[in-house]
Amino acid sequence: MNMAIDQVLLESSSNDPIVRFYQWSRPSVSCGYFVAVAEVELAYPERNYDFVRRLTGGGMVDHRNDFTYSIIVPRGHALSEAKGDVSYELIHRAVSRALHSVGVENDMQSEDTGSGQGVCFDTPVTKDLVLADSGAKLAGAGQRRNKFGLLHQGSVLADGLDGNLFSRHLLDEFGNSRGDYQLSEFQLELAKKLAAHRYSSAAWNLRR
């Protein structure tokens, strides 16, 4: 359902970026669009989790100890029209400032340490965020562009993170001038159908 809501928001008409924060009702692992299922099974052999393939790229994310957010940017907006590495950096700089505001000291990774398709928090890639003291990965994301705009799905390690305070600071980074966005009944029904027929299906999740 989380993946379905993001897709519906991406494909809906909007004049401004939407920042969405969400949680997982059960232990879950998501993988980027291009990750092979065999890699997921090798990394998480216990299989005591729900599994879903994201619309965005990137690696495997264990959502049992993270804080997840999405940013949906409509076509025509500067972030949507920017090249992938530029939009990734600009969004992560905003995330970095929000984390600094809640006392989490962090830096931006300057070079790749992996392909970006492994276990997400094992291998930071360029423009990911890392802890200032240890260099351990703190935040990463996957992106997808299409004719509707840009979808950025991000994950931040939750150890000691005040999620409510962080989310308020991140909203401030994006202006937060339009208030809370509410899904319409039509959007909610579309999301339920996508959740059932795409993101819960073997045809989608086991396609690689």
Side-chain angles (χ1 to χ4, degrees):
M1 192 63 179
N2 280 326
M3 302 299 96
I5 289 173
D6 279 352
Q7 182 176 339
V8 167
L9 288 174
L10 176 63
E11 297 176 1
S12 299
S13 177
S14 175
N15 295 322
D16 299 296
I18 296 171
V19 183
R20 174 176 174 252
F21 305 100
Y22 55 95
Q23 296 176 313
W24 303 78
S25 60
R26 296 185 297 275
S28 301
V29 171
S30 73
C31 77
Y33 183 81
F34 297 103
V35 175
V37 173
E39 293 182 57
V40 181
E41 293 175 342
L42 183 64
Y44 302 100
E46 67 275 16
R47 300 187 183 184
N48 58 349
Y49 54 83
D50 287 347
F51 168 69
V52 66
R53 184 175 299 278
R54 301 189 304 273
L55 188 64
T56 55
M60 296 169 274
V61 183
D62 187 336
H63 297 290
R64 290 173 283 192
N65 189 35
D66 75 336
F67 184 87
T68 41
Y69 70 95
S70 296
I71 299 174
I72 299 92
V73 186
R75 182 179 178 182
H77 189 281
L79 272 178
S80 179
E81 301 302 317
K83 292 183 179 180
D85 58 338
V86 174
S87 62
Y88 197 90
E89 178 177 355
L90 289 172
I91 291 174
H92 267 184
R93 289 201 180 281
V95 173
S96 176
R97 291 190 295 269
L99 287 168
H100 278 296
S101 295
V102 297
V104 180
E105 298 302 315
N106 66 93
D107 297 312
M108 186 165 283
Q109 179 75 11
S110 60
E111 60 184 6
D112 290 348
T113 59
S115 67
Q117 291 191 17
V119 176
C120 179
F121 286 100
D122 286 354
T123 54
V125 298
T126 304
K127 311 305 182 186
D128 280 346
L129 300 180
V130 297
L131 290 168
D133 57 354
S134 66
K137 184 168 176 176
L138 174 63
Q143 292 191 343
R144 175 70 174 260
R145 276 177 175 76
N146 60 20
K147 64 181 180 180
F148 301 103
L150 166 68
L151 171 60
H152 175 103
Q153 292 177 317
S155 175
V156 182
L157 280 183
D159 286 339
L161 179 68
D162 185 331
N164 289 329
L165 187 57
F166 165 71
S167 64
R168 290 200 295 271
H169 282 287
L170 187 58
L171 285 172
D172 288 341
E173 289 288 336
F174 286 90
N176 193 26
S177 60
R178 300 293 295 272
D180 291 341
Y181 183 97
Q182 298 293 329
L183 286 173
S184 68
E185 290 186 13
F186 177 71
Q187 288 174 312
L188 186 57
E189 287 304 312
L190 281 179
K192 288 178 179 178
K193 289 178 181 178
L194 275 172
H197 300 298
R198 168 172 280 190
Y199 294 105
S200 295
S201 72
W204 172 263
N205 288 318
L206 307 181
R207 63 187 301 158
R208 296 182 186 280

